[in-house]
Amino acid sequence: MDSGIGKFDVAELHGSVAGPVLLPGDEGYADEVATFNLSNPVVPAVAVGVTGAGDVQAVVRFAARHHLPVAVLATGHQAVKNAHGAILINTTRMDGVRVDPARRTARAEAGVQWAAVVAATAKYGLAPMSGSAPDVSVVGYTLGGGQSPVFGRAQGYAADHVVRIEVVTADGELRHVAPDSEPDLFWALLGGKGNFGVVTAIEFELFELTEFYGGGLHFPGEQMEKVLRVWREWAPTLPEEASTSFAVLRLPDLPDLPPAMRGKFLLHVRFSYLGTEEDGELLLAPIRAVTAPVLDSVQSRPYTESPVIHLDPPSPVPYYEGTTTLREFSAEVLDALVAFAGPGSDNPLLNVEIRALGGALDREPAVPNAVPSRGIPFLMLAIGAGGPDRAALLRDWLGRMEQTFAPWVFDDRRLVNTLGKDDATTPERLRLVYGPERYDRLAAIKRRYDPANMFRINHNIKP
């Protein structure tokens, strides 16, 4: 492969970083570039396993000298482009977590996953605004907004609670960015994902919490219409301290799934509540009364068990994904959903999901940021699992989802973290995702900090 990087140049890079520098074919290269979505591999010209901010600066300066794009990978949950001809920075070795219980803040380096932060903060009776999966990168999740299934409706997006960001920009400088220093860059990083530099660490607020009431109810899929007729009336009545979503699941017969879920067609209703167990039980009672679940995991739990709400896959899988929004979950939308994904359909998708948003997710934070999804009532997303032999089928059904629910789309904005490889692939489409005014401001800030568009292996905001 003609990568545009000569042997002399790679030797130069070897001498300037402490971590490994790997070319295609080198031992360890495949592990260094591995993504969580096995249907979306990345194949950069060179992969560098950085060990600290100094390594990141060296790689960025090297890329600038040789006019090369830079891709960044932590857990690989949202790899977008194949990274041909790029330098890939793998941040997984940057795994430091520091908790300040007096200030109720934590600082996480670029490669830290949520499980590590949750464990570190639990010792002090504190909790972060982590997402549905414990193995997602703290930095990537937060830069894309970060919608917590426990805290979201009560506290907004994870991005709303960031205190400070350490980032290496395209000029190779390590900047300490806060609302009172470089406020435009602070605004853009939170929602603009990886378009503005390589974030090496992030500091954010924590909340006093040791337990919550939550989990999931798995109902037979044949009962989905009956359950969701109640859910659609019930979800809008919940207080902001409660969150809910549901997923229509067609699960494979895998040994790591509970026996009641293996190979089954199920409706998974998720629920969390920040109040008492007694009040949580009263809130959930209308759903529990509809019909008997095959699995009920809703109870008082330590926050360390919050991943049980969604039960996201723990291991890499090949998949294709799509997303849209809904202005309502009316009887007509329910009818369309049953026709599209219900027991009478031949829908092959693993997961068709709707999340009720609202509450603090609608409100601007004390320090504004670029998160574009405030005001969206319902988020819809779907995942189809399978390799290249199933790609055409699964993409067809994801397209059908968008077409089926087009009459009820809220608007063109999206939650950035749910964008897949095939979403927002043009500047025009990405401008709709952010909204014209927000996108134009992001593009102006991009022009200031990354005029050559070094950081373009992403949902790219062009300068």
Side-chain angles (χ1 to χ4, degrees), residues 271-322:
F271 180 73
S272 70
Y273 179 58
L274 291 168
T276 66
E277 180 175 4
E278 293 75 17
D279 288 345
E281 287 180 347
L282 288 173
L283 286 172
L284 189 58
I287 299 297
R288 277 203 169 118
V290 178
T291 190
V294 297
L295 189 65
D296 183 344
S297 66
V298 182
Q299 62 185 56
S300 284
R301 298 178 173 278
Y303 188 75
T304 51
E305 294 180 6
S306 60
V308 80
I309 299 171
H310 277 240
L311 288 175
D312 287 349
S315 304
V317 290
Y319 62 90
Y320 301 86
E321 57 194 325

Side-chain angles (χ1 to χ4, degrees), residues 235-258:
T237 70
L238 294 175
E240 292 185 0
E241 293 78 18
S243 298
T244 188
S245 64
F246 68 81
V248 182
L249 303 175
R250 286 174 166 83
L251 296 169
D253 187 2
L254 295 176
D256 56 350
L257 290 172

Side-chain angles (χ1 to χ4, degrees), residues 35 63 128 161 165 231 234 318 380 402 435 453:
T35 59
H161 299 276
I165 303 169
W231 187 92
W234 166 80
M380 186 174 193
E402 188 171 346
N453 204 10

